[in-house]
Amino acid sequence: MRTTVGIIGAGPAGLLLARLLHNAGIDSVVLESRDRAYVEHRQRAGILEQGTVDVLRAAGAGERMDREGLRHDGIELRFDRRRHRVDFPALTGGRSVMVYAQTEVCKDLIALQLDEGGPLLFEAEALAVEGAEGDRPSIRFRHQGREDVLECDYVVGCDGFWGVARKAVPASLSRVFERTYPFGWLGILADVAPSHDELVYARHDRGFALLSMRSPSVSRLYLQVPADTDAEAWSDEEIWDELERRLETDDDWALHRGPITQKSVTPMRSYVHELMRHGRLFLAGDAAHIVPPTGAKGLNLAVGDVVTFARALVHEKETGSAELLDAYSETCLRRVWQAERFSYDMTTMLHRDPDATAFEGRLQLARLDRISSCRAAETDLAEGYTGFPIG
């Protein structure tokens, strides 16, 4: 097999890249190790930044998102039983975010790819990226019980932290920056209408809590727990009781309870791999960087990566200049590090570190009080949450 761009991974990054290249008249092949049902049902992020929404619309993948997604114009911060709403459009010149699950983004992009795009091979396991330093890199993969080779002009690894793409970058050329947090998120899906019409981020002495949603009838909620927590060790009643404690306010707000349909624990870590390019191999999304979910940045960073790559490749096609491709890593990393900074700030401001002192607890409250009383501080949060410029 031969193509211009070999894409490893059919998550939102790989699928969106294939769509962007198709629209630009550039052929690609997408290799995905899992089957279609798995890709379309794995629960991941649910908040799309303004830039991501704009990109999906421009790519022709926004129709169902606009019909079924939930536009949010703000978030609520809770601390000391107080409530403070951050108004995104008023602070950012009109920007907002969209609640639309990653599973739905993947379904939309898969349907478009199979209907209009190039080959999308499910249950095609990438085994190795070879020849990245030369002009003809290739991906060795296994599909339908036999090994094959996909020859490419470029390889883009959208295959996550455990994929083969990042492993193809020599260790001597890599720099890794990471932090592992001593807590995680116990997340639930519940068949109950959300208790608030926007996301609620709560700082509490017992730990962080988040009230989110997947639809007008399905709630998504999270509790900070120790990193080694077994989700099944928590009964449904214990989860609701703890959410109620951490989300409590001085007014008459009430938490809606309902049947819990899913429980899981998400680890919290920050990770950046530099550089994001080696020869004709380009890393995108979790293959190059991971953020704690507090800032809702993971999927959106991946979108920024593939948009940057697609623009650079189109520029080379139109002008013959590889200038933007050569700048890919540097361009992406500027945005990545701003997102890492924002996610770190949100995480350390809202979570209770098990080793934190009373002094550090007071600093958290001071930071939240500053945001709620200073427009400049509030604007910085709103700009970070709705998204940093792509490219």
Side-chain angles (χ1 to χ4, degrees):
M1 296 180 67
R2 171 146 189 85
T3 190
T4 301
V5 182
I7 302 170
I8 309 175
L15 292 166
L16 177 59
L17 177 57
R19 179 67 182 174
L20 295 173
L21 295 176
H22 168 77
N23 290 348
I26 300 171
D27 61 296
S28 68
V29 173
V30 183
L31 305 176
E32 168 55 49
S33 63
R34 303 282 193 163
D35 62 26
R36 180 176 179 178
Y38 180 89
V39 174
E40 292 187 338
H41 291 91
R42 55 185 167 192
Q43 291 293 329
R44 292 292 190 274
I47 303 295
L48 308 183
E49 296 174 353
Q50 182 70 65
T52 297
V53 170
D54 294 342
V55 166
L56 289 171
R57 287 173 179 156
E63 181 181 350
R64 193 164 70 94
M65 173 190 70
D66 284 330
R67 187 173 66 249
E68 300 178 10
L70 306 173
R71 171 181 163 140
H72 280 202
D73 288 334
I75 59 172
E76 183 173 288
L77 301 174
R78 291 192 185 179
F79 57 102
D80 255 1
R81 302 175 65 94
R82 297 160 52 191
R83 305 171 64 175
H84 176 77
R85 181 175 184 268
V86 179
D87 185 331
F88 292 156
L91 295 162
T92 64
R95 300 213 307 265
S96 62
V97 297
M98 183 80 75
V99 176
Y100 191 62
Q102 176 175 310
T103 51
E104 306 310 308
V105 174
C106 287
K107 289 175 187 176
D108 297 341
L109 290 169
I110 286 171
L112 286 169
Q113 183 72 7
L114 294 177
D115 186 46
E116 303 174 7
L120 165 55
L121 305 183
F122 290 104
E123 299 180 86
E125 180 188 6
L127 303 174
V129 175
E130 299 172 339
E133 300 89 345
D135 294 335
R136 291 289 183 268
S138 62
I139 306 168
R140 189 161 45 84
F141 68 100
R142 183 184 295 112
H143 184 234
Q144 296 180 338
R146 64 184 182 86
E147 284 196 19
D148 205 341
V149 175
L150 175 63
E151 297 178 341
C152 324
D153 293 332
Y154 304 94
V155 175
V156 182
C158 305
D159 52 343
F161 181 79
W162 300 107
V164 301
R166 184 172 50 83
K167 297 173 184 175
V169 181
S172 59
L173 302 178
S174 302
R175 297 184 67 197
V176 170
F177 305 85
E178 60 185 324
R179 172 170 180 159
T180 301
Y181 297 87
F183 43 75
W185 279 8
L186 170 60
I188 64 167
L189 278 176
D191 287 337
V192 61
S195 304
H196 194 59
D197 55 3
E198 293 178 333
L199 273 68
V200 176
Y201 288 78
R203 184 267 177 202
H204 194 278
D205 288 342
R206 296 176 65 91
F208 169 76
L210 171 61
L211 188 160
S212 183
M213 61 208 68
R214 282 293 177 262
S215 74
S217 60
V218 177
S219 292
R220 184 75 160 148
L221 302 105
Y222 299 91
L223 285 170
Q224 177 188 342
V225 294
D228 59 354
T229 295
D230 176 6
E232 297 305 319
W234 284 69
S235 71
D236 291 6
E237 184 177 7
E238 287 173 327
I239 291 172
W240 287 119
D241 287 347
E242 190 62 25
L243 284 165
E244 205 161 64
R245 290 187 193 99
R246 298 188 192 184
L247 291 164
E248 63 187 355
T249 63
D250 279 333
D251 58 19
D252 59 356
W253 178 87
L255 178 67
H256 302 158
R257 300 188 180 209
I260 294 176
T261 59
Q262 185 185 104
K263 302 176 189 175
S264 62
V265 174
T266 301
M268 306 280 283
R269 64 188 300 231
S270 301
Y271 175 91
V272 179
H273 179 279
E274 295 186 0
L275 296 170
M276 290 175 58
R277 177 193 179 181
H278 173 58
R280 289 181 173 244
L281 167 63
F282 297 77
L283 304 180
D286 285 1
H289 43 73
I290 296 170
V291 289
T294 325
K297 289 284 164 269
L299 182 155
N300 297 290
L301 274 183
V303 167
D305 294 343
V306 297
V307 168
T308 300
F309 176 80
R311 286 177 180 170
L313 193 57
V314 169
H315 180 75
E316 184 192 49
K317 177 183 176 184
E318 294 177 345
T319 69
S321 170
E323 178 185 6
L324 297 186
L325 284 171
D326 292 340
Y328 171 80
S329 186
E330 180 183 355
T331 301
C332 290
L333 284 169
R334 281 197 299 269
R335 188 168 187 265
V336 166
W337 277 113
Q338 284 302 317
E340 291 283 356
R341 187 269 308 169
F342 177 79
S343 299
Y344 173 84
D345 287 348
M346 289 283 284
T347 300
T348 56
M349 179 173 67
L350 293 165
H351 291 73
R352 183 182 179 278
D353 190 303
D355 297 321
T357 64
F359 177 83
E360 290 163 315
R362 288 292 191 181
L363 286 181
Q364 287 182 314
L365 294 174
R367 291 164 69 186
L368 287 160
D369 190 60
R370 176 70 173 170
I371 290 168
S372 66
S373 61
C374 172
R375 186 176 178 87
E378 190 179 24
T379 299
D380 185 61
L381 188 151
E383 289 180 343
Y385 199 97
T386 55
F388 301 103
I390 295 175

